Amino acid sequence: MSILNTLKLTDAKKPTQIPQVLQRRNKLIKRIWQQTELARAQQTGTSFSVKKFRSVADIDTGARKQVETDVRVKPWWFTTDAGKLAISVRYGSKVLELEKGKFAVEVGTEKDLVKVLDVIKTAVSAGELDTQIATASVNLRKGFGK
């Protein structure tokens, strides 16, 4: 008797790629995390930047090498005409329309900024903004001629 016969075999295969909906959600969640860390850094008086590796050519030898650089994270929050703090959710360069005609969330104070970002992150994880993300993605691709 074979040892493999003692196991329950199946024809299941590991998926090779995740669906586009999840890829888009994960992209937006990553950006919301950056905004949360930026808000925390602003509250504590420190700075926050994201590290990225770039490939550059050495002038003398022509060899390519990886160089770590800082990527500036621009805040999504702003002060409205009424003097209140608001935050808009961005997917790439597009501002998401959260509801019909509503593009921003009003935030009480800078201390509430992290809480509001956490609520937005939870909504994105639950799939509440999937249609808005898909629309923004299509509009972004149109800008690249695709």
Side-chain angles (χ1 to χ4, degrees):
M1 181 168 190
S2 173
I3 296 174
L4 283 178
N5 288 338
T6 61
L7 301 175
K8 182 179 179 182
L9 302 178
T10 181
D11 62 348
K13 294 182 182 179
K14 182 179 177 182
T16 55
Q17 66 184 148
I18 59 174
Q20 273 192 340
V21 173
L22 291 178
Q23 287 176 353
R24 291 175 182 151
R25 275 187 210 163
N26 291 340
K27 178 182 175 181
L28 185 56
I29 288 171
K30 177 183 168 186
R31 300 289 188 238
I32 293 171
W33 173 81
Q34 290 176 356
Q35 292 297 313
T36 304
E37 292 302 312
L38 183 64
R40 284 189 180 130
Q42 184 176 345
Q43 288 174 358
T44 59
T46 60
S47 63
F48 172 75
S49 64
V50 178
K51 304 291 184 191
K52 178 181 176 182
F53 285 99
R54 289 186 49 202
S55 180
V56 295
D58 190 355
I59 297 171
D60 299 330
T61 63
R64 310 255 336 140
K65 62 180 180 178
Q66 296 288 325
V67 177
E68 187 177 49
T69 59
D70 289 334
V71 177
R72 188 178 80 191
V73 179
K74 297 178 185 176
W76 289 351
W77 58 89
F78 57 94
T79 306
T80 63
D81 295 336
K84 298 185 179 188
L85 191 64
I87 185 166
S88 58
V89 180
R90 295 181 158 273
Y91 186 82
S93 62
K94 304 293 181 189
V95 176
L96 296 182
E97 186 175 21
L98 303 173
E99 281 185 6
K100 189 72 175 168
K102 311 275 181 164
F103 293 92
V105 177
E106 188 175 305
V107 183
T109 63
E110 287 187 13
K111 294 177 184 175
D112 299 331
L113 201 53
V114 174
K115 294 175 193 172
V116 171
L117 284 166
D118 287 338
V119 170
I120 294 170
K121 181 179 172 184
T122 305
V124 171
S125 297
E128 293 181 24
L129 297 176
D130 284 348
T131 55
Q132 291 92 328
I133 295 170
T135 303
S137 177
V138 168
N139 290 339
L140 279 170
R141 278 186 273 145
K142 284 181 185 175
F144 290 102
K146 294 183 181 181

mmCIF file of all heavy atoms in Angstrom, residues 99-117:
data_model
loop_
_atom_site.group_PDB
_atom_site.id
_atom_site.type_symbol
_atom_site.label_atom_id
_atom_site.label_comp_id
_atom_site.label_asym_id
_atom_site.label_seq_id
_atom_site.Cartn_x
_atom_site.Cartn_y
_atom_site.Cartn_z
ATOM 1 N N GLU A 99 -20.159 59.552 -2.890
ATOM 2 C CA GLU A 99 -21.594 59.465 -3.162
ATOM 3 C C GLU A 99 -21.866 60.429 -4.300
ATOM 4 O O GLU A 99 -20.995 61.192 -4.696
ATOM 5 C CB GLU A 99 -22.422 59.870 -1.927
ATOM 6 C CG GLU A 99 -22.534 58.811 -0.874
ATOM 7 C CD GLU A 99 -23.470 59.229 0.260
ATOM 8 O OE1 GLU A 99 -24.108 60.290 0.159
ATOM 9 O OE2 GLU A 99 -23.533 58.495 1.239
ATOM 10 N N LYS A 100 -23.075 60.420 -4.793
ATOM 11 C CA LYS A 100 -23.422 61.298 -5.906
ATOM 12 C C LYS A 100 -23.186 62.755 -5.506
ATOM 13 O O LYS A 100 -23.822 63.280 -4.593
ATOM 14 C CB LYS A 100 -24.891 61.087 -6.289
ATOM 15 C CG LYS A 100 -25.289 61.781 -7.547
ATOM 16 C CD LYS A 100 -24.688 61.106 -8.755
ATOM 17 C CE LYS A 100 -25.208 61.762 -10.020
ATOM 18 N NZ LYS A 100 -24.463 61.339 -11.176
ATOM 19 N N GLY A 101 -22.216 63.400 -6.157
ATOM 20 C CA GLY A 101 -21.914 64.797 -5.900
ATOM 21 C C GLY A 101 -21.061 65.044 -4.656
ATOM 22 O O GLY A 101 -20.783 66.187 -4.335
ATOM 23 N N LYS A 102 -20.621 63.995 -3.961
ATOM 24 C CA LYS A 102 -19.815 64.141 -2.736
ATOM 25 C C LYS A 102 -18.420 63.579 -3.001
ATOM 26 O O LYS A 102 -18.254 62.396 -3.266
ATOM 27 C CB LYS A 102 -20.441 63.389 -1.561
ATOM 28 C CG LYS A 102 -21.906 63.664 -1.352
ATOM 29 C CD LYS A 102 -22.111 64.884 -0.524
ATOM 30 C CE LYS A 102 -23.616 65.059 -0.345
ATOM 31 N NZ LYS A 102 -23.984 65.935 0.673
ATOM 32 N N PHE A 103 -17.413 64.442 -2.910
ATOM 33 C CA PHE A 103 -16.049 64.050 -3.220
ATOM 34 C C PHE A 103 -15.116 64.081 -2.019
ATOM 35 O O PHE A 103 -13.939 63.754 -2.161
ATOM 36 C CB PHE A 103 -15.479 64.967 -4.312
ATOM 37 C CG PHE A 103 -16.156 64.792 -5.633
ATOM 38 C CD1 PHE A 103 -17.238 65.575 -5.987
ATOM 39 C CD2 PHE A 103 -15.713 63.841 -6.517
ATOM 40 C CE1 PHE A 103 -17.867 65.420 -7.213
ATOM 41 C CE2 PHE A 103 -16.328 63.669 -7.754
ATOM 42 C CZ PHE A 103 -17.415 64.456 -8.096
ATOM 43 N N ALA A 104 -15.599 64.490 -0.853
ATOM 44 C CA ALA A 104 -14.733 64.600 0.316
ATOM 45 C C ALA A 104 -15.486 64.211 1.579
ATOM 46 O O ALA A 104 -16.713 64.178 1.604
ATOM 47 C CB ALA A 104 -14.203 66.033 0.446
ATOM 48 N N VAL A 105 -14.712 63.930 2.615
ATOM 49 C CA VAL A 105 -15.256 63.610 3.927
ATOM 50 C C VAL A 105 -14.835 64.724 4.873
ATOM 51 O O VAL A 105 -13.657 65.079 4.938
ATOM 52 C CB VAL A 105 -14.698 62.259 4.445
ATOM 53 C CG1 VAL A 105 -15.205 61.962 5.841
ATOM 54 C CG2 VAL A 105 -15.037 61.137 3.485
ATOM 55 N N GLU A 106 -15.798 65.276 5.586
ATOM 56 C CA GLU A 106 -15.478 66.333 6.543
ATOM 57 C C GLU A 106 -14.883 65.704 7.800
ATOM 58 O O GLU A 106 -15.430 64.750 8.350
ATOM 59 C CB GLU A 106 -16.735 67.121 6.893
ATOM 60 C CG GLU A 106 -16.454 68.350 7.718
ATOM 61 C CD GLU A 106 -17.697 69.181 7.964
ATOM 62 O OE1 GLU A 106 -18.349 69.560 6.977
ATOM 63 O OE2 GLU A 106 -17.993 69.421 9.146
ATOM 64 N N VAL A 107 -13.763 66.256 8.242
ATOM 65 C CA VAL A 107 -13.059 65.768 9.421
ATOM 66 C C VAL A 107 -13.158 66.846 10.493
ATOM 67 O O VAL A 107 -13.001 68.027 10.198
ATOM 68 C CB VAL A 107 -11.578 65.481 9.097
ATOM 69 C CG1 VAL A 107 -10.859 64.918 10.299
ATOM 70 C CG2 VAL A 107 -11.467 64.542 7.913
ATOM 71 N N GLY A 108 -13.401 66.448 11.727
ATOM 72 C CA GLY A 108 -13.533 67.427 12.798
ATOM 73 C C GLY A 108 -12.243 68.202 13.025
ATOM 74 O O GLY A 108 -12.163 69.404 12.778
ATOM 75 N N THR A 109 -11.209 67.526 13.490
ATOM 76 C CA THR A 109 -9.916 68.149 13.746
ATOM 77 C C THR A 109 -8.821 67.249 13.187
ATOM 78 O O THR A 109 -9.086 66.144 12.720
ATOM 79 C CB THR A 109 -9.680 68.346 15.261
ATOM 80 O OG1 THR A 109 -9.647 67.052 15.886
ATOM 81 C CG2 THR A 109 -10.757 69.197 15.892
ATOM 82 N N GLU A 110 -7.596 67.719 13.271
ATOM 83 C CA GLU A 110 -6.475 66.901 12.798
ATOM 84 C C GLU A 110 -6.317 65.634 13.635
ATOM 85 O O GLU A 110 -5.788 64.641 13.148
ATOM 86 C CB GLU A 110 -5.182 67.713 12.817
ATOM 87 C CG GLU A 110 -5.121 68.752 11.719
ATOM 88 C CD GLU A 110 -3.777 69.444 11.640
ATOM 89 O OE1 GLU A 110 -2.807 68.952 12.263
ATOM 90 O OE2 GLU A 110 -3.697 70.472 10.956
ATOM 91 N N LYS A 111 -6.776 65.660 14.875
ATOM 92 C CA LYS A 111 -6.696 64.471 15.726
ATOM 93 C C LYS A 111 -7.630 63.371 15.221
ATOM 94 O O LYS A 111 -7.362 62.193 15.428
ATOM 95 C CB LYS A 111 -7.047 64.835 17.172
ATOM 96 C CG LYS A 111 -6.054 65.760 17.813
ATOM 97 C CD LYS A 111 -6.490 66.151 19.199
ATOM 98 C CE LYS A 111 -5.522 67.164 19.782
ATOM 99 N NZ LYS A 111 -5.944 67.668 21.071
ATOM 100 N N ASP A 112 -8.726 63.762 14.561
ATOM 101 C CA ASP A 112 -9.690 62.790 14.043
ATOM 102 C C ASP A 112 -9.293 62.239 12.679
ATOM 103 O O ASP A 112 -9.948 61.328 12.171
ATOM 104 C CB ASP A 112 -11.074 63.435 13.932
ATOM 105 C CG ASP A 112 -11.595 63.900 15.271
ATOM 106 O OD1 ASP A 112 -11.230 63.286 16.290
ATOM 107 O OD2 ASP A 112 -12.369 64.879 15.293
ATOM 108 N N LEU A 113 -8.232 62.760 12.092
ATOM 109 C CA LEU A 113 -7.832 62.379 10.744
ATOM 110 C C LEU A 113 -7.514 60.892 10.637
ATOM 111 O O LEU A 113 -7.958 60.216 9.700
ATOM 112 C CB LEU A 113 -6.617 63.218 10.334
ATOM 113 C CG LEU A 113 -6.289 63.375 8.873
ATOM 114 C CD1 LEU A 113 -7.488 63.878 8.092
ATOM 115 C CD2 LEU A 113 -5.128 64.323 8.704
ATOM 116 N N VAL A 114 -6.776 60.357 11.595
ATOM 117 C CA VAL A 114 -6.394 58.939 11.562
ATOM 118 C C VAL A 114 -7.631 58.056 11.699
ATOM 119 O O VAL A 114 -7.762 57.044 11.000
ATOM 120 C CB VAL A 114 -5.364 58.636 12.666
ATOM 121 C CG1 VAL A 114 -5.061 57.146 12.738
ATOM 122 C CG2 VAL A 114 -4.077 59.424 12.422
ATOM 123 N N LYS A 115 -8.573 58.442 12.548
ATOM 124 C CA LYS A 115 -9.803 57.663 12.721
ATOM 125 C C LYS A 115 -10.613 57.621 11.432
ATOM 126 O O LYS A 115 -11.128 56.566 11.037
ATOM 127 C CB LYS A 115 -10.657 58.257 13.843
ATOM 128 C CG LYS A 115 -10.050 58.173 15.209
ATOM 129 C CD LYS A 115 -10.922 58.885 16.228
ATOM 130 C CE LYS A 115 -10.185 59.097 17.526
ATOM 131 N NZ LYS A 115 -10.921 59.938 18.457
ATOM 132 N N VAL A 116 -10.724 58.762 10.764
ATOM 133 C CA VAL A 116 -11.480 58.832 9.512
ATOM 134 C C VAL A 116 -10.798 57.982 8.441
ATOM 135 O O VAL A 116 -11.461 57.256 7.695
ATOM 136 C CB VAL A 116 -11.638 60.295 9.051
ATOM 137 C CG1 VAL A 116 -12.217 60.369 7.652
ATOM 138 C CG2 VAL A 116 -12.509 61.061 10.020
ATOM 139 N N LEU A 117 -9.474 58.039 8.373
ATOM 140 C CA LEU A 117 -8.749 57.225 7.402
ATOM 141 C C LEU A 117 -8.936 55.734 7.674
ATOM 142 O O LEU A 117 -9.050 54.936 6.745
ATOM 143 C CB LEU A 117 -7.266 57.593 7.402
ATOM 144 C CG LEU A 117 -6.924 58.903 6.704
ATOM 145 C CD1 LEU A 117 -5.512 59.350 7.048
ATOM 146 C CD2 LEU A 117 -7.080 58.771 5.203
#
